[in-house]
Amino acid sequence: MRRARALLGALTLALAGTAASCAPPAAPPEPAARPRTPRAPATAARAATPAPSAPSASGAPSASGPSSASAEPAPASPRFPPAAVTPPNERTAAPGDGAWSELAPGLAKTLVHPHAFKKHVVVTVVAMELARLEVHLAAGTLEPEAKGVPAERRTGLVPADQRARLVAVFNGGFKERHGGFGMRLGDDDFTPPKPAACTVVLTKDSRVAIGTWERVAERARESAGWRQTPPCLIEDGAPHPDLKSEYKSRKWGMSAEGKTDIRRSALAVDESGGVLYFALGEWLTAPELARGLLALGVRDAAELDVNYSYTRFLTYPADGGAPVGLVKDVKHARGEYTDRPSARDFFYVLTAERSPRGR
C-alpha cells in the first residue's frame, strides 16, 4: 500500500512538470510609457467652451458672438453726491466740512479747510455729475488773443439755443500775456499748446480729461476743445513736486502786489472720470489749494484763473431768475454770459440734452 502511494505521488509530480514545460513563455516587459500631458476632465473642457450667443430680436445670433465675454465691462457710475470728505485738519475744520448739499440736480457743494492753523483759509467745492450734465468751453471777445479767429465765432456768450439748459458758468484760464497758455475750440486755434502746461480737454462724449499736454495731446486733437493752464496741481493723484518750493510755487500765479495767498480756482476729476470738481479757494496759496483738492481724493487737477476779479462760479435757477454766486463777492457784470458778452474765456454747464430744464 505504501508502495502504491509513492508511485502515485511520483506520477503526480511528473505530470505537473510536464504541464509547466508546455506553458507559453512569459511576455517580455513593455517599455516605459512616455510622459503625457494630463487631459483636462471632460466637465472642465465643457465649462471652457463659450456658450452660444443669445439670439437677437430677429432670431439670428448676436454679431458680437463669444468675443463679448472678453470685452471690458462698462465702468460703474460713480456715487453722487460723492462720499463725505474727511477734513484734512481737525484743528481748522468747521461744522459741516466735507458734507455735501445739493445746489441743483447734478450739482453738490461742500467746504474744506486745508490749512493747519489758519481757519480763514477755505475752499468751496462744487461736484458735477457728468452723466447728467454737459461741460462746454467758450471764447471771450478778447481772450485768448487770436487774430485769426473771426468775431462771430468768439461772441463771449452762451449760445442762445442752449440757454434753456444752462445750469452754471465758471471762469476759464489766465490771460494770454500771463503765460501764453494754449486753447483750441472746435476748428479754431487760438493759441498753440505749451508742452509742460496742464490741459483741460473736453471730449466729444461729454467727458473731461486733465493732464500735462504730452499725456493728453492725442485726446485733445480729437476733442471738442481744450484749454491750458499752469502745470497740473495734481496728476495721477500726486501733487506737483514744485509745490514744495515757495519760490517755484509762484508759477501758479500771484497778485499784482506779489502776494501768493489770494483767491484761486481749479478744476479736477475723480478716479472714475465721472465726477468733475470746481474749487474756489479764499486767501490761499497754490500748495494749500492742492491740499484741499487731495482731501477730495481727485486724480488730476488744473488751476484755472486767480485773483478776486477773475474767479467765479454762478448757478442759474431753473425758473430763469438771476444767477447766484457760489461765494460772497463774486464779481461779474449783470447779464454777463447770456445778454452781455464776456471778454474772457469761460466754461458753462448744461443739463444733458435728454433732460431739458425748460428755462
Side-chain angles (χ1 to χ4, degrees):
M1 187 68 179
R2 291 179 180 175
R3 181 177 179 83
R5 289 179 179 174
L7 290 174
L8 179 61
L11 180 60
T12 303
L13 291 172
L15 290 173
T18 303
S21 63
C22 292
E30 292 186 3
R34 295 178 181 177
R36 291 182 296 176
T37 303
R39 180 177 297 177
T43 54
R46 284 195 295 269
T49 304
S53 56
S56 65
S58 62
S62 169
S64 59
S67 62
S68 61
S70 61
E72 293 186 6
S77 299
R79 171 180 175 176
F80 198 88
V85 180
T86 301
N89 299 287
E90 291 185 8
R91 180 178 178 181
T92 55
D97 272 17
W100 295 97
S101 59
E102 186 180 67
L103 280 177
L107 293 182
K109 169 186 172 182
T110 195
L111 299 179
V112 176
H113 287 77
H115 202 280
F117 58 86
K118 294 181 180 179
K119 293 186 177 183
H120 65 276
V121 176
V122 59
V123 181
T124 304
V125 183
V126 177
M128 293 171 267
E129 187 180 12
L130 294 180
R132 303 174 65 182
L133 303 169
E134 299 172 5
V135 181
H136 298 266
L137 174 63
T141 57
L142 301 178
E143 292 285 346
E145 299 175 11
K147 296 180 180 179
V149 180
E152 61 268 20
R153 293 213 294 272
R154 51 182 313 160
T155 64
L157 295 168
V158 176
D161 61 351
Q162 296 180 349
R163 291 174 198 163
R165 297 189 287 128
L166 183 61
V167 177
V169 168
F170 58 91
N171 59 268
F174 284 21
K175 285 185 175 182
E176 176 73 19
R177 68 174 182 265
H178 296 154
F181 298 109
M183 175 170 155
R184 181 177 67 77
L185 183 56
D187 296 327
D188 294 325
D189 291 308
F190 289 83
T191 309
K194 298 187 72 172
C198 198
T199 310
V200 178
V201 180
L202 305 183
T203 67
K204 292 180 179 179
D205 60 351
S206 298
R207 307 292 276 186
V208 180
I210 297 174
T212 302
W213 174 254
E214 292 88 344
R215 177 185 169 193
V216 299
E218 186 174 348
R219 297 184 70 181
R221 293 187 184 98
E222 301 298 326
S223 69
W226 50 265
R227 179 66 159 101
Q228 289 193 314
T229 75
C232 293
L233 289 169
I234 299 168
E235 197 159 16
D236 287 330
H240 196 286
D242 286 351
L243 292 170
K244 297 178 181 179
S245 165
E246 182 178 354
Y247 175 75
K248 291 181 179 179
S249 69
R250 291 173 178 262
K251 65 178 63 177
W252 283 275
M254 64 192 79
S255 70
E257 299 80 20
K259 296 180 179 180
T260 56
D261 53 340
I262 55 178
R263 182 182 281 184
R264 298 175 183 272
S265 63
L267 201 63
V269 291
D270 74 341
E271 187 66 33
S272 74
V275 178
L276 183 69
Y277 297 96
F278 175 87
L280 188 61
E282 303 277 17
W283 303 104
L284 81 176
T285 63
E288 290 159 0
L289 177 58
R291 196 173 301 124
L293 291 168
L294 285 169
L296 300 169
V298 304
R299 183 184 61 203
D300 306 301
E303 184 184 65
L304 297 179
D305 214 344
V306 301
N307 287 322
Y308 173 80
S309 299
Y310 307 128
T311 50
R312 61 196 65 171
F313 189 102
L314 305 172
T315 55
Y316 289 76
D319 61 7
V324 179
L326 180 64
V327 297
K328 293 181 180 179
D329 302 325
V330 172
K331 186 176 180 180
H332 66 100
R334 184 183 179 89
E336 191 174 3
Y337 307 115
T338 55
D339 303 308
R340 181 175 177 174
S342 172
R344 305 285 302 277
D345 58 285
F346 61 93
F347 294 88
Y348 62 96
V349 183
L350 309 175
T351 55
E353 201 161 5
R354 58 184 174 275
S355 56
R357 299 179 67 190
R359 281 187 72 248

